[in-house]
Amino acid sequence: EKLKKPAPFMTFVFCGMQSAGKSTIMERFMNAVLNIVQEGTGTRCPLDTTCIHDDSRQEPICDLAGAELAKPGEQLSVDQVFKRITNHNRKLGEEDRFSTEPLRLVYRAKNVQNMRFVDTPGIIYHKSTGKDNREDIKKILRSEMRKPNTKLCVLLEPKEFATNPIVEFCDTSLGGRNEWIGSATFLMTKFDKQLEESILGSVQCRNDSSFMWSILTGYGWKTSLNTMPGQHILS
């Protein structure tokens, strides 16, 4: 960011409904809990994380900054970063607002690869309460997806592809399906809530091989060989 240049490695932008598990997936790649953890709305601003592989770091070391962050810092521990990110999101919650101003984290550790993650707030739309952060999320996605080496990671709910509201949201946010589907990866969390047959047997899924389909559960990661073309199952 200081050099005004894109990261020279891959960026993954997570997009999903509230409590879809975006932060959890990012933290599995990093082997550390860094973002706020709570029921309901936790993440209220983007967390822009650059991971840097550093063989000399037995313990991770972090730099944290942000235009609205009360207490930035360098050479921080994971626990210190977690507390500052949590406090920042809770403050936004007390103010009953979301922010498009990101927290920027540089995470150096021996057990990570060079990559960048953008963890966005979960999408909320409640007619009864008037809560609606869709325009904020659209602004974040449009800004990030213009950058090179960027992959959109769409978190699906454990239901049929055609009935997932996040798909329609991406369509309206990014100019139609043909504009974003080629640079997207689909992940599914909480897969134990749905029978595998109802997902893999879906007509919509069988007929659409233009995207990579991924499923994440709480039991680790593997790639299934018994999948459709372009499909990956993580379990």
Side-chain angles (χ1 to χ4, degrees):
E1 294 293 333
K2 291 180 180 178
L3 296 174
K4 305 299 182 183
K5 294 182 179 180
F9 34 79
M10 200 70 188
T11 294
F12 298 93
V13 180
F14 293 108
C15 175
M17 306 304 290
Q18 177 182 281
S19 302
K22 298 177 298 299
S23 300
T24 300
I25 291 178
M26 186 186 79
E27 288 162 354
R28 292 194 68 154
F29 279 104
M30 300 172 66
N31 301 298
V33 177
L34 293 162
N35 209 349
I36 184 171
V37 178
Q38 68 177 45
E39 290 294 326
T41 305
T43 303
R44 287 182 170 269
C45 69
L47 177 59
D48 186 328
T49 302
T50 299
C51 297
I52 299 176
H53 177 79
D54 186 341
D55 279 328
S56 69
R57 291 294 178 188
Q58 295 299 328
E59 294 294 329
I61 198 74
C62 309
D63 299 338
L64 183 65
E68 297 181 349
L69 182 64
K71 195 176 180 182
E74 299 181 352
Q75 305 288 299
L76 303 174
S77 68
V78 169
D79 287 342
Q80 289 174 313
V81 167
F82 174 75
K83 290 176 182 177
R84 296 184 191 197
I85 291 175
T86 296
N87 289 338
H88 180 70
N89 280 282
R90 286 179 175 167
K91 182 175 182 293
L92 292 173
E94 291 168 359
E95 297 170 358
D96 195 26
R97 70 183 181 95
F98 291 84
S99 175
T100 58
E101 287 290 343
L103 298 182
R104 301 192 185 277
L105 173 66
V106 178
Y107 183 90
R108 294 179 175 85
K110 185 176 183 179
N111 61 349
V112 297
Q113 299 300 315
N114 292 333
M115 60 181 70
R116 176 172 168 257
F117 299 101
V118 179
D119 183 10
T120 64
I123 297 162
I124 300 174
Y125 175 53
H126 297 307
K127 287 184 178 179
S128 58
T129 62
K131 300 287 185 183
D132 187 352
N133 69 347
R134 291 175 297 176
E135 290 304 316
D136 289 336
I137 307 302
K138 287 179 182 179
K139 181 178 178 181
I140 296 168
L141 292 182
R142 289 166 182 164
S143 173
E144 291 298 331
M145 293 307 295
R146 284 196 295 264
K147 299 175 182 178
N149 302 323
T150 299
K151 194 82 162 178
L152 181 66
C153 294
V154 182
L155 270 73
L156 300 172
E157 297 181 60
K159 61 174 75 171
E160 299 288 347
F161 176 78
T163 60
N164 260 270
I166 189 61
V167 176
E168 182 180 356
F169 178 82
C170 290
D171 285 344
T172 59
S173 301
L174 299 171
R177 192 162 304 180
N178 290 337
E179 296 298 319
W180 64 273
I181 195 77
S183 59
T185 293
F186 289 79
L187 306 174
M188 181 173 285
T189 58
K190 305 174 184 177
F191 188 53
D192 55 335
K193 292 184 179 181
Q194 179 66 277
L195 291 176
E196 182 172 346
E197 291 79 9
S198 66
I199 295 293
L200 300 184
S202 164
V203 173
Q204 289 85 358
C205 294
R206 289 199 300 269
N207 290 342
D208 192 347
S209 60
S210 63
F211 58 87
M212 184 179 86
W213 178 284
S214 302
I215 299 170
L216 177 70
T217 68
Y219 303 104
W221 301 75
K222 73 178 181 180
T223 300
S224 171
L225 298 179
N226 301 315
T227 57
M228 305 179 297
Q231 174 195 25
H232 292 256
I233 298 179
L234 303 179
S235 61

